[in-house]
Amino acid sequence: MSTQPDDGRDRRILTVPNVLSVLRLAGVPLFLWLLLVAREDGWAIVVLAVGGVTDWLDGKLARLLGQYSRLGALLDPAVDRLYILSALIALGAREIIPWWAVVALVARDLVLAACLAVLRRRGYGPFVVTYLGKAATFLLLYAFPLLLLGQSTGWAAGIALPLGLAFGIWGIALYLYSGGLYFAQFVLALRKPVAPLP
């Protein structure tokens, strides 16, 4: 988890990666409406796919342009969590994914959110995002549109469904495993003495 003080660049708000994260955030309610109300699965797939691509792109651009920011460090994983949560609930409601997977992944995020609240009170920043955590998010964000496409008819569904299942199984496994790694960071932080307030 982050304990480093911010420099001036860390406090920037208007950066290209942050704009992409805000656009992804706007896609969350749109995706839910398309999938649950309008039943426009094709457009819902497009929104999910765009969310997955821009998730990869904002991290890449942050590195290429040197546009790291404190807001981006908070916003990017928060939008990832919202995308995953909304997709899980929507696909669970449509009976495309089993409810045990929904419960397991939501429970993982709730436990880590509670851990983060405790860490903040002890003066720590957010968890440092690991490559395994990013890989799990990537796999899930690609599994969801593939699983949705796999519910349609035609040759594309025959290809999408097994790919979606593979991405989903590996994504769930890595998501839970990375949650365990974050929880280990939490336990180690609790063993350190609390720094006195200035």
Side-chain angles (χ1 to χ4, degrees):
M1 66 222 68
S2 174
T3 57
Q4 299 298 322
D6 296 332
D7 61 21
R9 294 189 316 159
D10 287 337
R11 291 189 288 273
R12 292 181 296 180
I13 293 174
L14 190 59
T15 66
V16 174
N18 289 351
V19 169
L20 286 176
S21 290
V22 170
L23 289 174
R24 283 198 303 130
L25 181 61
V28 172
L30 176 60
F31 166 74
L32 288 172
W33 181 80
L34 287 168
L35 194 60
L36 297 176
V37 179
R39 296 289 180 134
E40 292 286 347
D41 291 359
W43 286 111
I45 290 169
V46 169
V47 171
L48 267 182
V50 168
V53 170
T54 54
D55 177 45
W56 170 82
L57 191 58
D58 68 7
K60 192 77 168 171
L61 288 174
R63 288 186 292 277
L64 286 174
L65 302 175
Q67 292 188 345
Y68 296 101
S69 68
R70 177 187 235 181
L71 176 64
L74 295 172
L75 188 59
D76 181 51
V79 174
D80 288 346
R81 300 290 79 76
L82 280 174
Y83 253 105
I84 289 171
L85 178 64
S86 64
L88 281 170
I89 291 172
L91 296 177
R94 291 277 301 270
E95 299 182 347
I96 295 171
I97 59 173
W99 277 105
W100 66 261
V102 176
V103 171
L105 297 182
V106 170
R108 179 257 200 202
D109 281 350
L110 290 176
V111 168
L112 292 182
C115 292
L116 186 57
V118 171
L119 290 175
R120 287 191 186 281
R121 285 200 299 272
R122 294 174 66 93
Y124 290 100
F127 290 110
V128 174
V129 177
T130 65
Y131 283 110
L132 277 179
K134 289 297 285 180
T137 300
F138 170 85
L139 288 169
L140 290 175
L141 288 177
Y142 280 85
F144 296 148
L146 287 168
L147 289 171
L148 190 54
L149 181 59
Q151 305 306 305
S152 63
T153 57
W155 65 269
I159 296 171
L161 186 57
L163 284 175
L165 288 171
F167 273 74
I169 290 166
W170 279 102
I172 289 169
L174 279 180
Y175 202 72
L176 294 176
Y177 180 71
S178 66
L181 295 179
Y182 291 133
F183 189 76
Q185 286 183 34
F186 169 73
V187 171
L188 288 173
L190 289 184
R191 292 182 178 172
K192 294 180 181 177
V194 179
L197 294 173

